[in-house]
Amino acid sequence: MQIISWRAVLHDMLLYRRLIALQIRAQLQYKINVLIDIGTYLAVTVLEFGALLLFFGPFPSLLGWKIGEVALLAAIMSISFGFAEMAGAGIDNFSDTIRRGEFDRVLLRPVGAFTQVIGSDFRLRRLGRITQGTIAFVIALRLLPNLHWTAAKLLILPISIISGAVIFISILLLGATLCFWTVETTELTNMLTYGGREMLSYPITIYSQTLQRFFLFVVPIAFGSYVPTCYILERPLPFGIPSSVAFAAPLVALVFALVAGIVWSFGVNRYQSTGS
Amino acid sequence: MTLMIEAEDLCKKFRVTRRRSGLLGGLRSVVNPEVRIVPAVNDLALKVERGEIIGLIGPNGAGKSTTIKMMTGILTPTSGRVYVAGLVPMRQRRELASRIGVVFGQRTQLWWDLPLLDSLHLLRHLYRVPEERYNANLKRLRLMLDLDEFIHTPVRQLSLGQRMRGDLAAALLHDPELLYLDEPTIGLDVVAKARIREFLLSLNAEHETTILLTTHDMDDVEMLCPRMIIIDHGRKLYDGSVAEIRARFGGERMLIAVLDAAEVAALPRGDDGQPRLPSLPPGVRQVQADGPRLWLSFGSAGSSTMPAHELVAWLGTRYRLHDVTCQEPEIEDIIRRIYEEGLLLKNL
C-alpha cells in the first residue's frame, strides 16, 4: 500500500469540494425542479415515518421502547442515511459509470479514482430525507419531555450521524466494487443500505442475536443510530456492551471504511487487468 | 531525439467466459465456466519518437483501443514491455496521466450541464496546473480553437465540432507531451474536420507535441501523419509512410486527358468501337474513352514506368491537349484491400 501523503489528501479534499460545488451549481440551474424533488422526497420519507409511528396506536411500547424513543432512533437514522445518500450518490451510480465506459476517463486523470467517483455526483434532492429526519427529531423531543440532556449527549449526536453516514457510504463503496465483477449488484447493496436503514429504524433487540451481532460487529450500522440513541436514552446495550462505546463510533466507521477502501483498490486493480 | 513510446513484445490476452444458455447452463457456467483466451494484442513492437504524428489504423476490433489502454496504464499487459515518456504506464499511471492528454472522439470528458469554461477551470484543479500557466494556455487555446463564441455555453448545447474543440482544449491545458486521439474527426463535417487537422498540425509544429491518433478516416492519416501503423488481429501489419503503401499496393495511377473532339473522332477504333490512341509509350494503357475524354492508366508513383509529367508532355506533342487530371489510387481502397485480402499478412 502506498504511504499516505497529507498534501495529497488535502489536495483531494479541496478538489472534492470543487467537484461538489460544481454539481450543486449544475443542479441549481433548475431551482424549481430541485425544490419539487426535495419536496417529493420529503413527502415520501414523512409517510415512512408516519407508518412507523402508527405501530404505536395499538401497542403502547415495543420491547419497552416508547413512541418518542423509537422516533428519536428513526430521526437519527434518517439524518445519517440522508447525508450518506446525498454524498454517496456518485458511488451509488457507479454501475452506470462502468457501463458507460466512463471509468477509463477516471483512470486517465492524475487524481485518485475514489475522489473522482464520489465527486461525480451530489444529490441535492436527498435534503428531503434530512429535512424529514430533522422534523422527526423535533417531534421526538416533544414526545420525550423528560429527556435529560448533557454536553456528552449533545456531542454524541453529530459524531454518530457522521459516523453512520461514513458506514453507509462504505457499504455503497463495497457495492460499487462488485461492479468490477458483475454489473447486476445494485440489489445486493440496496439490501444492506435501504434494508439496513429500515431495520435499524427499530431497536435492534427485536431481531435475533445473529442479526444484532451482524449490525454491531460486521456491518456496524448500529453505531450510527442504535448505539448513540441508547446512550442518549440511558438504555443498556445488548451483550453487556458499555453504553460509552457510542464514542467509539468514529473509530468503528474508520475501520469499516478502511476495509471498504482496501477492497475497492483491489477491485480497481482487477479492472486494470481485465478491462471490464 | 528521444523515444516517446517504446513497446516490445506487447501482448494482451483476454479471458472470456462464455455463458451457456438456459437455466442449467447458467448454473454450469458458475461452477465450471467455459473460458476462452482471446488474444487482443500480439507481440506488438512500436517505437515513437518525440514530436512525431502517427496514425494508428485498423478495422474495428483490431486491437487499437487495447493498445492505447496499455500505453496509458488503464490496462495491464499480459506480457511484454511498454514505456511511455520514460515511465511504466501501469506502475506510474497517475504520474503519466499528468504528462499525457487523451481525447475520445465519441465520449466527452467535459461536464455536460456546465459551461465549457467551468469544465476547463475544474480540469485545471484536477491536473494541478499552476494558475499562471493555466491562464496562458487557456488564452492560447481560446485563440487557436476559436473557443470564445461558445465558451460560456453549456456543453450539451454545443455542436459536435464545437464540443470536439472544447475537448481538445480540455486535454491540452496541462501541456501534455503526448496526445492520444481516438477518432478525433468522427461525425464532423468537412469544415470542422479541416479545422481540427489544422489545429493538430500547428500544435505539433509549435509545441513538438507527439500525437498518436486512431482513425477510420484516411484523409486524417494523409493530411496529418507522415507515418502510419496498420494493426489487424492484434498484430502490426505495416509501419511506414502513406506514400510507400500507395506505391506498394496502390497499383496504377490514372491520367484523364481531354483532347480535341475532332481529333478523337479521327482516331482509329479498337475492337470495342471506341477511339484508341495508337502506339502509347510502354507501361501506359488506355482504359476507357468517353467523347473527348480518355482514361490512361500508368505506373504507380516511384515505379520505373513513365512519370506523369512525361506522359503529359508525350500527349502534348502529339495531340491538342485541352485538359488533364491525375487520379491517385484511393487510399481507402488500398486499405480495404489490405484488410480484406490480407495483403500484408504474408510479410509476417
Side-chain angles (χ1 to χ4, degrees):
Chain A
M1 271 194 73
Q2 68 193 58
I3 300 153
I4 294 168
S5 135
W6 291 110
R7 280 193 61 182
V9 171
L10 183 71
H11 174 265
D12 276 20
M13 278 164 71
L14 287 174
L15 188 67
Y16 174 72
R17 219 185 57 189
R18 277 180 207 286
L19 286 166
I20 293 315
L22 220 57
Q23 289 294 334
I24 292 173
R25 188 136 44 101
Q27 286 173 48
L28 287 183
Q29 279 182 349
Y30 311 96
K31 283 197 188 63
I32 299 190
N33 214 342
V34 171
L35 282 176
I36 292 173
D37 272 355
I38 293 176
T40 317
Y41 205 52
L42 172 64
V44 171
T45 48
V46 162
L47 278 177
E48 280 176 12
F49 182 63
L52 184 91
L53 295 189
L54 279 180
F55 175 87
F56 290 91
F59 309 101
S61 78
L62 178 66
L63 290 183
W65 284 61
K66 298 200 184 58
I67 179 166
E69 294 175 311
V70 174
L72 183 69
L73 175 65
I76 292 176
M77 177 52 105
S78 266
I79 298 173
S80 180
F81 190 75
F83 278 116
E85 268 188 315
M86 187 161 74
I91 303 175
D92 203 13
N93 296 338
F94 189 66
S95 62
D96 291 335
T97 308
I98 286 273
R99 213 178 296 134
R100 284 198 295 259
E102 283 167 11
F103 193 61
D104 284 350
R105 174 56 73 185
V106 167
L107 292 178
L108 285 173
R109 289 183 177 142
V111 178
F114 176 75
T115 310
Q116 292 184 66
V117 171
I118 195 170
S120 68
D121 202 353
F122 193 86
R123 218 38 85 66
L124 279 182
R125 62 185 294 244
R126 304 305 193 198
L127 279 173
R129 190 187 290 278
I130 297 170
T131 311
Q132 175 265 321
T134 313
I135 294 170
F137 188 74
V138 173
I139 293 173
L141 291 188
R142 296 288 298 271
L143 291 168
L144 296 167
N146 300 323
L147 186 59
H148 171 68
W149 283 96
T150 63
K153 285 183 181 181
L154 281 175
L155 185 66
I156 205 72
L157 273 177
I159 287 180
S160 54
I161 285 171
I162 293 168
S163 304
V166 169
I167 293 168
F168 274 121
I169 290 175
S170 304
I171 296 173
L172 290 175
L173 188 64
L174 287 171
T177 308
L178 281 176
C179 295
F180 292 121
W181 279 267
T182 163
V183 179
E184 281 105 68
T185 56
T186 30
E187 284 314 309
L188 199 69
T189 325
N190 286 351
M191 200 172 76
L192 278 176
T193 51
Y194 288 89
R197 177 190 58 76
E198 190 64 36
M199 288 177 78
L200 291 198
S201 295
Y202 296 93
I204 60 168
T205 38
I206 66 170
Y207 305 111
S208 74
Q209 292 218 342
T210 315
L211 270 177
Q212 292 180 35
R213 285 205 184 87
F214 180 76
F215 286 122
L216 276 167
F217 308 124
V218 183
V219 181
I221 312 173
F223 276 86
S225 55
Y226 179 75
V227 175
T229 309
C230 283
Y231 183 81
I232 292 168
L233 297 174
E234 295 170 29
R235 283 180 166 280
L237 289 173
F239 311 116
I241 304 169
S243 61
S244 55
V245 83
F247 285 96
L251 195 70
V252 172
L254 200 70
V255 169
F256 191 65
L258 213 62
V259 172
I262 290 169
V263 175
W264 162 258
S265 54
F266 182 72
V268 174
N269 283 338
R270 138 104 194 181
Y271 177 85
Q272 287 177 287
S273 63
T274 58
S276 63
Chain B
M1 284 237 253
T2 44
L3 284 179
M4 192 72 219
I5 300 175
E6 192 179 5
E8 274 172 61
D9 311 322
L10 199 59
C11 288
K12 182 70 198 179
K13 295 183 173 71
F14 288 114
R15 283 166 55 95
V16 181
T17 27
R18 235 189 50 202
R19 287 208 175 190
R20 296 183 179 89
S21 54
L23 181 64
L24 269 177
L27 280 174
R28 261 183 69 202
S29 301
V30 174
V31 182
N32 175 25
E34 192 182 320
V35 179
R36 274 184 318 139
I37 304 289
V38 180
V41 172
N42 257 320
D43 295 328
L44 189 80
L46 184 62
K47 280 192 169 70
V48 177
E49 287 184 357
R50 210 168 272 274
E52 275 195 278
I53 306 186
I54 295 215
L56 191 60
I57 70 162
N60 292 327
K64 295 175 304 223
S65 307
T66 307
T67 305
I68 288 197
K69 281 182 178 179
M70 285 193 283
M71 294 192 300
T72 49
I74 297 181
L75 205 58
T76 327
T78 307
S79 62
R81 285 165 302 284
V82 59
Y83 301 94
V84 177
L87 303 173
V88 179
M90 208 41 219
R91 243 179 289 146
Q92 292 152 296
R93 172 172 56 82
R94 278 167 68 174
E95 193 183 338
L96 180 64
S98 57
R99 292 172 60 181
I100 61 174
V102 184
V103 176
F104 297 113
Q106 318 214 53
R107 258 186 264 147
T108 183
Q109 70 157 321
L110 305 167
W111 280 259
W112 207 240
D113 290 321
L114 295 169
L116 174 60
L117 189 60
D118 286 12
S119 283
L120 298 180
H121 193 70
L122 191 59
L123 284 165
R124 151 166 129 72
H125 294 287
L126 273 162
Y127 282 89
R128 299 198 212 192
V129 184
E131 182 146 21
E132 237 168 80
R133 220 174 81 195
Y134 169 78
N135 288 336
N137 283 348
L138 184 61
K139 198 173 153 196
R140 178 172 58 87
L141 290 165
R142 278 173 98 143
L143 209 68
M144 283 175 88
L145 288 162
D146 237 330
L147 303 179
D148 281 344
E149 46 179 315
F150 55 85
I151 202 158
H152 297 292
T153 313
V155 173
R156 68 183 129 80
Q157 289 170 18
L158 299 184
S159 73
L160 197 57
Q162 291 173 330
R163 208 214 70 203
M164 195 59 219
R165 276 142 69 194
D167 258 307
L168 278 169
L172 293 167
L173 282 174
H174 59 288
D175 290 319
E177 300 157 50
L178 170 66
L179 185 62
Y180 293 106
L181 301 164
D182 190 19
E183 312 229 12
T185 58
I186 195 160
L188 300 186
D189 63 54
V190 185
V191 182
K193 277 185 184 180
R195 181 166 210 162
I196 300 283
R197 288 176 191 143
E198 214 172 282
F199 169 75
L200 292 175
L201 283 174
S202 57
L203 176 78
N204 174 257
E206 287 167 29
H207 295 270
E208 279 213 318
T209 310
T210 312
I211 300 175
L212 183 80
L213 62 97
T214 72
T215 184
H216 288 294
D217 186 337
M218 287 311 296
D219 288 343
D220 283 348
V221 178
E222 288 207 271
M223 289 178 200
L224 293 174
C225 310
R227 181 177 158 203
M228 76 167 173
I229 289 163
I230 304 178
I231 292 187
D232 199 2
H233 298 103
R235 287 173 193 282
K236 187 164 86 174
L237 297 186
Y238 177 77
D239 186 344
S241 67
V242 180
E244 194 196 320
I245 206 154
R246 197 175 244 139
R248 270 172 72 188
F249 302 106
E252 305 192 308
R253 288 182 290 173
M254 193 74 76
L255 190 81
I256 304 164
V258 185
L259 305 184
D260 191 73
E263 231 171 30
V264 172
L267 284 174
R269 302 277 154 167
D271 301 335
D272 51 1
Q274 294 285 342
R276 289 221 155 265
L277 288 175
S279 50
L280 283 166
V284 183
R285 279 180 313 118
Q286 185 185 327
V287 179
Q288 201 191 331
D290 179 16
R293 218 175 278 267
L294 299 172
W295 277 261
L296 302 173
S297 100
F298 63 111
S300 55
S303 70
S304 56
T305 51
M306 183 175 259
H309 66 95
E310 281 181 26
L311 179 57
V312 174
W314 185 92
L315 285 167
T317 52
R318 286 165 182 80
Y319 303 97
R320 280 167 55 205
L321 200 53
H322 285 221
D323 195 12
V324 285
T325 41
C326 190
Q327 270 182 359
E328 291 286 331
E330 286 288 327
I331 190 78
E332 301 271 357
D333 292 336
I334 301 171
I335 299 297
R336 201 184 55 238
R337 280 175 50 217
I338 288 174
Y339 295 163
E340 286 173 0
E341 298 166 25
L343 287 183
L344 286 158
L345 283 170
K346 35 188 171 291
N347 298 357
L348 291 170

